[in-house]
Amino acid sequence: FGSSLSNPLSWMSLTLWILCCGIAPEVYDRLASSLAGDDSFSSFEIPDPTCGRVSEVAPGWTVDTFNNALLAQEDVRTHGELLRAVVYLSQHGSKCTLAEAVAALVMLPLMRGGSWEEQARVLDTETNIFHLSIPLVEIVRGGFPMFWAYSRLAGQREAWPDPCVGLLEIYQQIFQTPRVSICMELAELAPAHCPVAAATAAACVALALATAGEGAVSAETAADVVRHVCLAESILRPIYGPVNVVTEQARFSNLVLTPWPLWRYLHQLQQTRYLAA
């Protein structure tokens, strides 16, 4: 896979992530103003890590056609041209880190001989979303279906032992239709030993806010959506982001298998295009 997948966080991306996730709240308002069409935001420069200015991710494939084709396929092997694009990306790399990462995730079940240990190694390193120099909110704003790819992998293996399975069972039915009040209640109840529950609650609030109304994007609501996506990241990154994993439970591959609807919520939020640039 492309070398950019294993690069450490760049200073610029780390700075953006820190600003987004709690150090400077005014950044939320500036981002939200941009999303709502406020020209006052134009002087604040945000990097373009999700490849919006990349014309093609592979020969003949624009960003949109590549992402839409992936989402439309139950099995990439049934779409010869798309499969060739995925193979091309995994062999030659791209100017787009996310395109490489998604291609690597799609290729995992096809190229790793069915060995979960080998797939887990790649998930823990090359395709660990917290090892990419891109904040979660930027991935949500873009179109590359990273969260969709993780959720698809989760269904290929029995879920990891969940220390909060009782809490999950209580909220299982409610999770079908996220509501702000219920998600906030979960955030308050999530025990300290279950960070995935707290991160899922934050993603749940973000999705509920983004889907609660219709019409123009509210700057205030957009800021709240961004804030909760950043909160989810700030909970998970310290645990699953370090290169040297201390415990088996802290392996990112185990987070991919979580029975909590974390990846589904983030994917659904991305699909709403609520935060799209």
Side-chain angles (χ1 to χ4, degrees):
F1 307 115
S3 58
S4 60
L5 291 178
S6 57
N7 285 344
L9 284 172
S10 67
W11 181 88
M12 178 66 76
S13 295
L14 180 58
T15 300
L16 176 62
W17 178 76
I18 291 174
L19 288 172
C20 178
C21 295
I23 301 302
E26 66 270 21
V27 171
Y28 303 132
D29 300 328
R30 297 169 77 183
L31 176 58
S33 297
S34 171
L35 298 174
D38 187 337
D39 291 336
S40 66
F41 186 83
S42 59
S43 61
F44 183 70
E45 185 175 354
I46 289 182
D48 182 33
T50 53
C51 316
R53 291 188 292 269
V54 175
S55 58
E56 291 187 340
V57 296
W61 289 89
T62 66
V63 171
D64 287 340
T65 56
F66 179 72
N67 292 335
N68 291 338
L70 279 178
L71 292 172
Q73 297 301 311
E74 286 295 324
D75 188 343
V76 69
R77 290 170 294 189
T78 64
H79 191 310
E81 292 298 320
L82 178 59
L83 179 58
R84 276 191 282 275
V86 170
V87 171
Y88 176 90
L89 277 168
S90 61
Q91 290 179 343
H92 301 285
S94 168
K95 295 178 182 179
C96 177
T97 300
L98 284 179
E100 292 181 37
V102 170
L105 287 170
V106 172
M107 289 294 289
L108 270 182
L110 308 180
M111 302 297 289
R112 300 292 171 174
S115 166
W116 169 249
E117 283 307 313
E118 183 61 18
Q119 292 184 37
R121 184 195 65 77
V122 176
L123 284 170
D124 291 336
T125 55
E126 298 167 43
T127 56
N128 182 335
I129 202 168
F130 299 123
H131 288 182
L132 305 180
S133 345
I134 307 170
L136 281 190
V137 70
E138 288 298 315
I139 298 176
V140 171
R141 293 182 71 202
F144 287 95
M146 289 288 292
F147 311 118
W148 164 85
Y150 287 137
S151 64
R152 284 170 61 89
L153 285 172
Q156 298 183 17
R157 185 175 170 84
E158 185 177 348
W160 61 294
D162 182 10
C164 304
V165 64
L167 189 61
L168 175 63
E169 291 174 353
I170 293 173
Y171 282 87
Q172 198 74 269
Q173 295 300 319
I174 300 172
F175 279 152
Q176 301 307 314
T177 307
R179 297 199 306 276
V180 174
S181 59
I182 295 298
C183 299
M184 294 295 289
E185 181 182 347
L186 172 59
E188 294 175 2
L189 292 177
H193 67 275
C194 192
V196 180
T200 300
C204 182
V205 173
L207 177 61
L209 287 169
T211 55
E214 298 180 357
V217 175
S218 157
E220 181 179 356
T221 302
D224 282 339
V225 172
V226 170
R227 188 175 291 112
H228 281 89
V229 173
C230 288
L231 174 60
E233 179 168 9
S234 69
I235 293 169
L236 297 174
R237 183 180 285 277
I239 302 170
Y240 299 99
V243 175
N244 298 315
V245 177
V246 178
T247 65
E248 180 70 17
Q249 191 66 28
R251 293 181 64 180
F252 181 74
S253 51
N254 281 329
L255 180 62
V256 170
L257 297 179
T258 179
W260 292 85
L262 171 68
W263 304 121
R264 176 162 58 88
Y265 284 165
L266 290 172
H267 173 61
Q268 289 175 346
L269 176 60
Q270 184 182 48
Q271 290 299 103
T272 66
R273 307 299 293 163
Y274 191 82
L275 295 180

